[in-house]
Amino acid sequence: MNLKTNCTMHKIILIITAVLGALSVVFGAFGAHSLHSKLGAEALKNFETGVRYQMYHVLAIFLVAALSQLQDTDKNQIGILFLIGILFFSGSLYAITAGGINPKSIWFITPLGGLFMIAGWVWFAYKLIGL
């Protein structure tokens, strides 16, 4: 990719991240106020885990983008791994708890999302070691 493509991708990742940050707050409020009376304690706990991990990784993407001395290509790769992790991990928990989807039909998506999150952290550490 050329410099312009890297900068554009970096900007897109940050915009998506900002939206996901706002959605973390919206989903947290939704869970606390609307789902509290509709879900059992275990389902609500799972939903809250999705919100918490989403916000953790939103902050991680901003940290990688703002504070690291990595090349934009590396920042993009790490950001994409975290974004996919949020989509799969948090998204599957939302679908199961609030969307009423049978956990058995998408059981593999949540841990796959966790693996993407872990991969993002490992890739971040690897790239920092190389600085």
Side-chain angles (χ1 to χ4, degrees), residues 36-68:
H36 186 70
S37 61
K38 295 179 177 76
L39 297 178
E42 186 67 26
L44 190 58
K45 181 180 170 191
N46 288 339
F47 188 86
E48 290 170 352
T49 297
V51 172
R52 189 171 50 255
Y53 275 63
Q54 178 174 332
M55 183 55 85
Y56 290 162
H57 286 84
V58 162
L59 295 173
I61 294 168
F62 277 121
L63 174 74
V64 169
L67 300 178
S68 76

Side-chain angles (χ1 to χ4, degrees), residues 6-27:
N6 278 339
C7 290
T8 303
M9 177 61 96
H10 189 69
K11 184 175 180 179
I12 290 168
I13 289 171
L14 288 175
I15 291 168
I16 292 169
T17 302
V19 170
L20 287 172
L23 287 174
S24 294
V25 177
V26 170
F27 292 163

Side-chain angles (χ1 to χ4, degrees), residues 73-131:
T73 302
D74 296 328
K75 291 178 185 181
N76 292 343
Q77 291 168 347
I78 294 163
I80 289 169
L81 288 169
F82 284 155
L83 289 172
I84 293 170
I86 290 169
L87 177 68
F88 287 8
F89 183 86
S90 297
S92 65
L93 291 176
Y94 300 149
I96 290 167
T97 56
I101 296 194
N102 182 352
K104 291 179 181 179
S105 65
I106 61 170
W107 66 268
F108 60 93
I109 295 176
T110 308
L112 185 59
L115 287 174
F116 274 99
M117 290 176 173
I118 292 166
W121 286 110
V122 169
W123 194 246
F124 185 28
Y126 174 74
K127 289 300 184 174
L128 289 174
I129 291 167
L131 286 180

